[in-house]
Protein backbone atom coordinates (compact mmCIF):
# COMPACT_ATOMS: atom_id res chain seq x y z
CA UNK A 1 0.00 0.00 0.00
CA UNK A 2 1.53 3.32 -1.09
CA UNK A 3 1.39 6.46 1.01
CA UNK A 4 1.04 10.00 -0.22
CA UNK A 5 4.39 11.75 0.04
CA UNK A 6 4.37 15.42 0.97
CA UNK A 7 7.14 17.95 1.48
CA UNK A 8 7.16 21.19 3.38
CA UNK A 9 7.44 24.33 1.30
CA UNK A 10 8.63 27.79 2.33
CA UNK A 11 6.44 30.53 0.92
CA UNK A 12 7.06 34.28 0.92
CA UNK A 13 3.91 36.28 1.60
CA UNK A 14 5.25 39.64 0.53
CA UNK A 15 6.96 41.98 0.86
CA UNK A 16 3.58 43.46 0.10
CA UNK A 17 1.01 46.00 1.23
CA UNK A 18 -1.80 43.98 2.82
CA UNK A 19 -4.84 46.03 3.83
CA UNK A 20 -2.72 49.17 3.45
CA UNK A 21 -0.87 47.92 6.52
CA UNK A 22 2.48 48.62 4.98
CA UNK A 23 5.55 46.96 3.55
CA UNK A 24 5.52 43.67 5.42
CA UNK A 25 6.96 40.25 4.72
CA UNK A 26 5.70 37.02 6.19
CA UNK A 27 7.61 33.80 5.62
CA UNK A 28 5.39 30.76 6.12
CA UNK A 29 6.28 27.09 6.03
CA UNK A 30 3.41 25.02 4.70
CA UNK A 31 2.69 21.32 4.52
CA UNK A 32 0.04 21.05 1.84
CA UNK A 33 -2.43 23.74 2.84
CA UNK A 34 -1.50 23.77 6.53
CA UNK A 35 0.81 26.42 7.98
CA UNK A 36 3.41 24.70 10.19
CA UNK A 37 5.55 27.76 10.90
CA UNK A 38 5.41 31.51 10.37
CA UNK A 39 8.06 34.21 10.66
CA UNK A 40 6.95 37.87 10.52
CA UNK A 41 9.78 39.93 9.06
CA UNK A 42 9.83 43.66 9.83
CA UNK A 43 12.24 46.45 9.02
CA UNK A 44 11.65 47.04 5.31
CA UNK A 45 10.91 50.72 5.77
CA UNK A 46 12.65 51.59 9.02
CA UNK A 47 12.76 55.36 9.49
CA UNK A 48 14.88 55.56 12.62
CA UNK A 49 12.46 57.99 14.25
CA UNK A 50 13.69 57.35 17.79
CA UNK A 51 17.31 58.02 16.82
CA UNK A 52 16.45 61.10 14.76
CA UNK A 53 14.62 62.53 17.78
CA UNK A 54 17.89 62.78 19.71
CA UNK A 55 18.94 65.63 17.43
CA UNK A 56 15.60 67.42 17.33
CA UNK A 57 14.00 69.88 19.69
CA UNK A 58 10.77 68.57 21.17
CA UNK A 59 8.51 70.60 18.89
CA UNK A 60 10.52 69.46 15.87
CA UNK A 61 9.68 65.81 16.63
CA UNK A 62 5.93 66.33 16.19
CA UNK A 63 5.87 65.96 12.34
CA UNK A 64 7.72 62.65 12.66
CA UNK A 65 4.89 61.24 14.76
CA UNK A 66 2.51 61.77 11.83
CA UNK A 67 4.39 59.05 9.96
CA UNK A 68 4.21 56.48 12.75
CA UNK A 69 0.56 55.77 12.00
CA UNK A 70 -0.49 57.67 8.90
CA UNK A 71 -4.08 56.56 9.48
CA UNK A 72 -4.28 58.20 12.93
CA UNK A 73 -1.79 61.06 12.88
CA UNK A 74 -3.77 63.27 15.28
CA UNK A 75 -3.55 60.61 17.98
CA UNK A 76 0.16 60.10 17.38
CA UNK A 77 0.79 63.86 17.54
CA UNK A 78 -0.95 63.90 20.87
CA UNK A 79 1.06 61.00 22.31
CA UNK A 80 4.30 62.97 22.03
CA UNK A 81 3.02 66.36 23.20
CA UNK A 82 1.17 64.69 26.08
CA UNK A 83 4.39 63.02 27.26
CA UNK A 84 6.27 66.33 27.19
CA UNK A 85 3.40 68.13 28.93
CA UNK A 86 3.38 65.42 31.59
CA UNK A 87 7.11 65.92 32.16
CA UNK A 88 6.71 69.71 32.35
CA UNK A 89 3.44 69.54 34.36
CA UNK A 90 1.82 71.99 31.95
CA UNK A 91 -1.75 73.25 32.21
CA UNK A 92 -3.67 73.03 28.93
CA UNK A 93 -6.42 75.55 28.09
CA UNK A 94 -9.96 74.16 28.15
CA UNK A 95 -10.73 74.96 24.53
CA UNK A 96 -7.55 73.28 23.37
CA UNK A 97 -8.40 70.17 25.40
CA UNK A 98 -11.82 69.92 23.76
CA UNK A 99 -10.44 70.48 20.27
CA UNK A 100 -7.90 67.73 20.88
CA UNK A 101 -10.58 65.28 21.95
CA UNK A 102 -12.73 66.11 18.92
CA UNK A 103 -9.98 65.64 16.36
CA UNK A 104 -8.55 62.54 18.03
CA UNK A 105 -11.89 60.74 18.17
CA UNK A 106 -12.73 61.77 14.61
CA UNK A 107 -9.35 60.38 13.60
CA UNK A 108 -10.10 57.15 15.47
CA UNK A 109 -13.30 56.83 13.42
CA UNK A 110 -11.43 57.51 10.18
CA UNK A 111 -8.85 54.86 11.09
CA UNK A 112 -11.52 52.30 11.99
CA UNK A 113 -13.36 53.04 8.75
CA UNK A 114 -10.28 52.18 6.76
CA UNK A 115 -9.82 48.99 8.76
CA UNK A 116 -13.37 47.86 7.99
CA UNK A 117 -13.12 48.68 4.29
CA UNK A 118 -9.64 47.27 3.75
CA UNK A 119 -10.37 44.14 5.77
CA UNK A 120 -13.44 43.35 3.70
CA UNK A 121 -11.45 44.07 0.54
CA UNK A 122 -8.84 41.54 1.71
CA UNK A 123 -11.61 38.99 2.02
CA UNK A 124 -12.98 39.69 -1.44
CA UNK A 125 -15.73 42.27 -0.85
CA UNK A 126 -15.34 45.44 -2.91
CA UNK A 127 -18.46 47.46 -1.96
CA UNK A 128 -17.65 48.18 1.74
CA UNK A 129 -14.27 49.59 0.74
CA UNK A 130 -15.93 52.11 -1.59
CA UNK A 131 -18.56 53.07 0.98
CA UNK A 132 -16.22 53.71 3.90
CA UNK A 133 -13.99 55.95 1.82
CA UNK A 134 -16.93 58.29 1.21
CA UNK A 135 -17.45 58.76 4.94
CA UNK A 136 -13.74 58.92 5.68
CA UNK A 137 -13.48 61.70 3.12
CA UNK A 138 -15.91 63.78 5.19
CA UNK A 139 -13.55 63.52 8.16
CA UNK A 140 -10.49 64.23 6.04
CA UNK A 141 -12.17 67.38 4.73
CA UNK A 142 -12.85 68.52 8.31
CA UNK A 143 -9.17 68.00 9.14
CA UNK A 144 -8.13 69.85 6.02
CA UNK A 145 -10.16 72.83 7.15
CA UNK A 146 -8.76 72.94 10.66
CA UNK A 147 -5.08 72.21 9.94
CA UNK A 148 -4.55 72.40 6.18
CA UNK A 149 -3.59 68.74 5.69
CA UNK A 150 -5.35 65.52 4.73
CA UNK A 151 -3.04 62.81 6.10
CA UNK A 152 -0.08 64.10 8.12
CA UNK A 153 -1.63 66.79 10.27
CA UNK A 154 1.10 68.22 12.53
CA UNK A 155 -1.75 69.85 14.47
CA UNK A 156 -0.91 69.28 18.12
CA UNK A 157 1.42 71.61 19.95
CA UNK A 158 3.05 71.32 23.35
CA UNK A 159 0.58 73.26 25.49
CA UNK A 160 -2.38 73.11 23.09
CA UNK A 161 -3.08 73.08 19.37
CA UNK A 162 -1.73 75.04 16.42
CA UNK A 163 -4.97 76.53 15.09
CA UNK A 164 -8.43 77.24 16.42
CA UNK A 165 -11.49 75.81 14.70
CA UNK A 166 -12.45 78.03 11.73
CA UNK A 167 -15.92 79.65 11.65
CA UNK A 168 -18.65 77.07 11.12
CA UNK A 169 -16.33 74.10 11.65
CA UNK A 170 -17.91 72.90 14.90
CA UNK A 171 -21.35 73.04 13.29
CA UNK A 172 -20.09 70.80 10.49
CA UNK A 173 -18.87 68.35 13.12
CA UNK A 174 -22.32 68.41 14.77
CA UNK A 175 -23.97 67.64 11.45
CA UNK A 176 -21.51 64.81 10.79
CA UNK A 177 -22.48 62.90 13.96
CA UNK A 178 -26.03 61.76 13.01
CA UNK A 179 -24.87 61.26 9.42
CA UNK A 180 -22.13 58.89 10.57
CA UNK A 181 -24.43 57.00 12.90
CA UNK A 182 -26.71 56.19 9.98
CA UNK A 183 -23.75 55.01 7.94
CA UNK A 184 -22.54 52.68 10.70
CA UNK A 185 -25.98 51.06 10.76
CA UNK A 186 -25.74 50.68 6.98
CA UNK A 187 -22.35 48.93 7.29
CA UNK A 188 -23.82 46.65 9.92
CA UNK A 189 -26.70 45.66 7.62
CA UNK A 190 -24.32 45.16 4.71
CA UNK A 191 -21.56 43.21 6.43
CA UNK A 192 -22.24 41.77 9.87
CA UNK A 193 -24.80 39.16 8.84
CA UNK A 194 -23.21 38.22 5.53
CA UNK A 195 -22.87 34.44 5.50
CA UNK A 196 -19.70 34.39 3.40
CA UNK A 197 -18.02 36.95 5.67
CA UNK A 198 -19.05 35.09 8.83
CA UNK A 199 -17.64 31.82 7.47
CA UNK A 200 -14.30 33.55 6.89
CA UNK A 201 -13.95 35.16 10.35
CA UNK A 202 -16.07 33.36 12.98
CA UNK A 203 -13.89 31.16 15.18
CA UNK A 204 -10.76 32.07 13.18
CA UNK A 205 -7.59 33.51 14.73
CA UNK A 206 -8.70 32.89 18.32
CA UNK A 207 -6.59 33.78 21.35
CA UNK A 208 -7.44 33.85 25.04
CA UNK A 209 -7.13 36.64 27.61
CA UNK A 210 -4.08 34.95 29.07
CA UNK A 211 -2.41 34.67 25.68
CA UNK A 212 -3.24 38.30 24.89
CA UNK A 213 -1.73 39.50 28.16
CA UNK A 214 1.35 37.29 27.80
CA UNK A 215 1.95 38.82 24.35
CA UNK A 216 1.39 42.37 25.72
CA UNK A 217 -1.50 42.99 23.35
CA UNK A 218 -3.56 46.13 23.81
CA UNK A 219 -6.44 48.00 22.24
CA UNK A 220 -9.08 46.06 20.33
CA UNK A 221 -6.86 42.98 20.15
CA UNK A 222 -6.94 42.74 23.96
CA UNK A 223 -10.55 43.82 24.38
CA UNK A 224 -11.72 41.23 21.83
CA UNK A 225 -11.05 38.58 24.53
CA UNK A 226 -13.39 40.35 26.96
CA UNK A 227 -10.59 41.96 28.97
CA UNK A 228 -11.77 45.41 30.07
CA UNK A 229 -8.84 47.73 29.46
CA UNK A 230 -8.94 51.11 27.76
CA UNK A 231 -6.53 53.82 28.86
CA UNK A 232 -9.16 56.49 28.27
CA UNK A 233 -11.11 54.86 31.12
CA UNK A 234 -8.56 52.97 33.21
CA UNK A 235 -5.85 55.65 33.24
CA UNK A 236 -7.64 58.79 32.00
CA UNK A 237 -5.52 61.47 30.36
CA UNK A 238 -6.46 64.90 29.07
CA UNK A 239 -10.15 65.42 29.91
CA UNK A 240 -11.42 61.96 28.94
CA UNK A 241 -12.70 61.42 32.48
CA UNK A 242 -15.41 64.04 31.82
CA UNK A 243 -17.09 62.08 29.04
CA UNK A 244 -19.65 59.33 29.19
CA UNK A 245 -18.79 56.40 26.93
CA UNK A 246 -18.52 52.63 27.15
CA UNK A 247 -15.57 50.31 26.73
CA UNK A 248 -16.93 47.75 24.28
CA UNK A 249 -15.74 44.16 24.68
CA UNK A 250 -15.65 40.98 22.66
CA UNK A 251 -16.20 37.45 23.92
CA UNK A 252 -14.27 34.92 21.85
CA UNK A 253 -11.14 36.77 20.77
CA UNK A 254 -11.62 35.79 17.13
CA UNK A 255 -11.42 37.75 13.88
CA UNK A 256 -15.14 38.53 13.97
CA UNK A 257 -14.90 40.10 17.44
CA UNK A 258 -12.03 42.29 16.30
CA UNK A 259 -14.02 43.46 13.28
CA UNK A 260 -17.14 44.01 15.38
CA UNK A 261 -15.33 46.07 18.03
CA UNK A 262 -14.13 48.47 15.34
CA UNK A 263 -17.77 49.06 14.45
CA UNK A 264 -18.85 49.53 18.07
CA UNK A 265 -15.93 51.81 18.89
CA UNK A 266 -16.92 54.20 16.13
CA UNK A 267 -20.28 54.59 17.90
CA UNK A 268 -18.52 55.36 21.18
CA UNK A 269 -16.20 57.87 19.52
CA UNK A 270 -19.24 59.68 18.12
CA UNK A 271 -20.64 59.88 21.66
CA UNK A 272 -17.40 61.49 22.87
CA UNK A 273 -17.27 63.94 19.96
CA UNK A 274 -20.89 64.94 20.52
CA UNK A 275 -20.26 65.69 24.19
CA UNK A 276 -17.03 67.56 23.44
CA UNK A 277 -18.67 69.78 20.82
CA UNK A 278 -21.53 70.60 23.20
CA UNK A 279 -19.16 71.41 26.09
CA UNK A 280 -16.52 73.43 24.23
CA UNK A 281 -16.23 77.06 25.24
CA UNK A 282 -14.29 80.09 24.14
CA UNK A 283 -10.74 80.79 25.21
CA UNK A 284 -7.08 80.40 24.25
CA UNK A 285 -5.85 77.37 22.36
CA UNK A 286 -2.25 77.44 23.65
CA UNK A 287 -1.06 77.53 27.23
CA UNK A 288 1.95 79.24 28.72
CA UNK A 289 4.89 77.38 27.25
CA UNK A 290 8.58 78.40 27.33
CA UNK A 291 9.95 79.50 23.97
CA UNK A 292 12.69 76.91 24.34
CA UNK A 293 11.33 73.74 25.89
CA UNK A 294 13.69 71.91 28.21
CA UNK A 295 12.38 68.79 29.90
CA UNK A 296 13.77 68.43 33.44
CA UNK A 297 16.40 65.72 33.76
CA UNK A 298 14.83 62.34 34.42
CA UNK A 299 12.79 59.57 32.85
CA UNK A 300 9.14 59.94 31.83
CA UNK A 301 6.55 57.65 30.29
CA UNK A 302 3.06 58.54 29.11
CA UNK A 303 0.73 56.11 27.35
CA UNK A 304 -2.50 56.83 25.50
CA UNK A 305 -5.18 54.72 23.79
CA UNK A 306 -4.16 54.79 20.15
CA UNK A 307 -6.23 53.48 17.27
CA UNK A 308 -4.41 50.14 17.46
CA UNK A 309 -3.69 49.92 21.18
CA UNK A 310 -1.46 51.50 23.79
CA UNK A 311 0.79 54.10 22.22
CA UNK A 312 3.50 55.10 24.67
CA UNK A 313 6.29 57.66 24.66
CA UNK A 314 9.26 57.12 26.96
CA UNK A 315 11.58 60.10 27.34
CA UNK A 316 15.01 60.12 28.95
CA UNK A 317 16.07 63.73 29.46
CA UNK A 318 19.37 65.26 30.55
CA UNK A 319 17.75 68.65 30.96
CA UNK A 320 18.55 69.93 27.48
CA UNK A 321 16.21 71.06 24.70
CA UNK A 322 16.48 67.68 22.97
CA UNK A 323 15.73 64.23 24.40
CA UNK A 324 18.75 62.20 25.44
CA UNK A 325 16.78 59.13 24.39
CA UNK A 326 13.28 58.60 23.02
CA UNK A 327 11.52 55.24 22.92
CA UNK A 328 8.13 54.68 21.35
CA UNK A 329 5.82 51.88 22.45
CA UNK A 330 4.22 51.18 19.08
CA UNK A 331 1.10 49.02 19.41
CA UNK A 332 1.32 47.50 15.93
CA UNK A 333 4.84 46.26 16.60
CA UNK A 334 3.75 44.64 19.86
CA UNK A 335 0.47 43.25 18.49
CA UNK A 336 2.39 41.61 15.66
CA UNK A 337 4.16 39.27 18.09
CA UNK A 338 1.14 36.97 18.40
CA UNK A 339 0.88 36.42 14.65
CA UNK A 340 3.06 33.30 14.64
CA UNK A 341 0.90 31.66 17.30
CA UNK A 342 -2.27 32.51 15.41
CA UNK A 343 -1.07 31.14 12.07
CA UNK A 344 0.50 27.82 13.01
CA UNK A 345 -2.01 25.04 12.37
CA UNK A 346 -4.23 27.20 10.18
CA UNK A 347 -4.88 26.69 6.49
CA UNK A 348 -3.49 29.13 3.97
CA UNK A 349 -7.04 30.23 3.17
CA UNK A 350 -7.29 31.75 6.67
CA UNK A 351 -4.00 33.64 6.51
CA UNK A 352 -5.33 36.93 5.17
CA UNK A 353 -8.33 36.92 7.52
CA UNK A 354 -6.01 36.51 10.51
CA UNK A 355 -3.35 38.97 9.34
CA UNK A 356 -5.88 41.70 8.53
CA UNK A 357 -7.74 41.38 11.84
CA UNK A 358 -4.56 41.96 13.87
CA UNK A 359 -4.71 45.50 12.41
CA UNK A 360 -1.12 46.63 11.96
CA UNK A 361 0.19 49.80 10.36
CA UNK A 362 3.62 50.08 8.77
CA UNK A 363 4.99 53.04 10.69
CA UNK A 364 4.06 51.49 14.02
CA UNK A 365 5.88 48.31 13.05
CA UNK A 366 9.07 49.70 11.55
CA UNK A 367 9.07 53.13 13.23
Amino acid sequence: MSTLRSEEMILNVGPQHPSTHGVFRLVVTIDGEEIVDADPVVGYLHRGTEKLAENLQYTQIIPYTDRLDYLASMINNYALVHAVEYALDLEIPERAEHLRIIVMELNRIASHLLFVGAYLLDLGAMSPFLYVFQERERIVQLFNEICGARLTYNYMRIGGVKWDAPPGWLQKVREFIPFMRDKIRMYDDLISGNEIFLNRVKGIGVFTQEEAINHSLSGINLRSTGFNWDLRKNQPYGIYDRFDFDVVLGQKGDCFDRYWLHMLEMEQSLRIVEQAVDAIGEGPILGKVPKLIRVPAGEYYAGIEGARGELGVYIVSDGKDKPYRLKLRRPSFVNLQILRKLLIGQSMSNLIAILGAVDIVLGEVDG
Side-chain angles (χ1 to χ4, degrees), residues 186-244:
M186 183 194 76
Y187 305 151
D188 186 20
D189 292 339
L190 179 66
I191 301 168
S192 303
N194 183 286
E195 186 175 344
I196 299 173
F197 173 66
L198 294 177
N199 286 336
R200 294 294 306 274
V201 296
K202 278 276 189 178
I204 303 298
V206 178
F207 50 79
T208 65
Q209 286 188 13
E210 183 180 5
E211 289 169 333
I213 293 169
N214 288 343
H215 285 83
S216 298
L217 303 190
S218 58
I220 283 177
N221 283 298
L222 177 59
R223 293 190 288 275
S224 69
T225 66
F227 193 90
N228 192 338
W229 185 259
D230 186 317
L231 292 176
R232 295 172 296 175
K233 282 279 192 181
N234 297 91
Q235 296 176 1
Y237 50 91
I239 56 172
Y240 271 108
D241 55 350
R242 302 183 191 178
F243 301 109
D244 179 29

Side-chain angles (χ1 to χ4, degrees), residues 29-181:
T29 304
I30 58 175
D31 184 358
E33 281 293 309
E34 182 183 351
I35 299 172
V36 296
D37 198 7
D39 181 20
V41 184
V42 299
Y44 280 88
L45 197 58
H46 186 60
R47 300 176 175 91
T49 303
E50 296 164 341
K51 191 65 179 176
L52 288 169
E54 296 174 16
N55 295 306
L56 298 169
Q57 294 179 0
Y58 288 97
T59 53
Q60 294 174 322
I61 303 171
I62 298 173
Y64 289 80
T65 64
D66 285 322
R67 279 78 182 171
L68 293 175
D69 180 353
Y70 38 74
L71 305 182
S73 298
M74 290 289 190
I75 299 173
N76 283 257
N77 282 178
Y78 180 81
L80 175 70
V81 301
H82 173 62
V84 176
E85 290 162 358
Y86 166 73
L88 295 174
D89 195 23
L90 288 180
E91 184 176 347
I92 313 303
E94 284 286 313
R95 186 171 177 85
E97 289 277 31
H98 283 81
L99 285 172
R100 286 176 167 189
I101 295 288
I102 292 168
V103 296
M104 283 195 292
E105 292 306 316
L106 285 175
N107 207 178
R108 194 183 309 275
I109 295 169
S111 175
H112 285 2
L113 282 173
L114 194 61
F115 166 85
V116 171
Y119 190 43
L120 269 292
L121 188 65
D122 279 352
L123 299 178
M126 173 69 76
S127 297
F129 186 76
L130 301 177
Y131 286 132
V132 301
F133 258 78
Q134 293 181 88
E135 280 65 75
R136 183 176 176 273
E137 180 65 19
R138 293 278 294 262
I139 298 174
V140 169
Q141 288 291 354
L142 288 170
F143 287 162
N144 194 27
E145 290 178 23
I146 200 170
C147 73
R150 290 174 51 86
L151 188 68
T152 50
Y153 304 117
N154 190 24
Y155 179 62
M156 304 289 179
R157 289 294 179 270
I158 297 168
V161 294
K162 187 174 183 181
W163 288 291
D164 201 348
W169 189 83
L170 291 171
Q171 181 57 34
K172 291 180 181 179
V173 174
R174 283 191 181 93
E175 294 169 357
F176 173 76
I177 295 168
F179 167 83
M180 191 65 229
R181 284 184 173 134

Side-chain angles (χ1 to χ4, degrees), residues 13 17 52 141 172 185 187 212 244 270 275 292 341:
V13 183
H17 212 280
L52 288 169
Q141 288 291 354
K172 291 180 181 179
R185 285 190 284 270
Y187 305 151
D244 179 29
L270 287 173
Q275 295 170 66
L292 185 62
K341 182 268 172 192

Side-chain angles (χ1 to χ4, degrees), residues 295-320:
V295 170
E299 300 180 20
Y300 309 90
Y301 177 83
I304 69 167
E305 190 66 34
R308 265 146 285 282
E310 180 175 347
L311 174 59
V313 178
Y314 174 61
I315 298 172
V316 179
S317 173
D318 55 5
K320 297 180 181 178

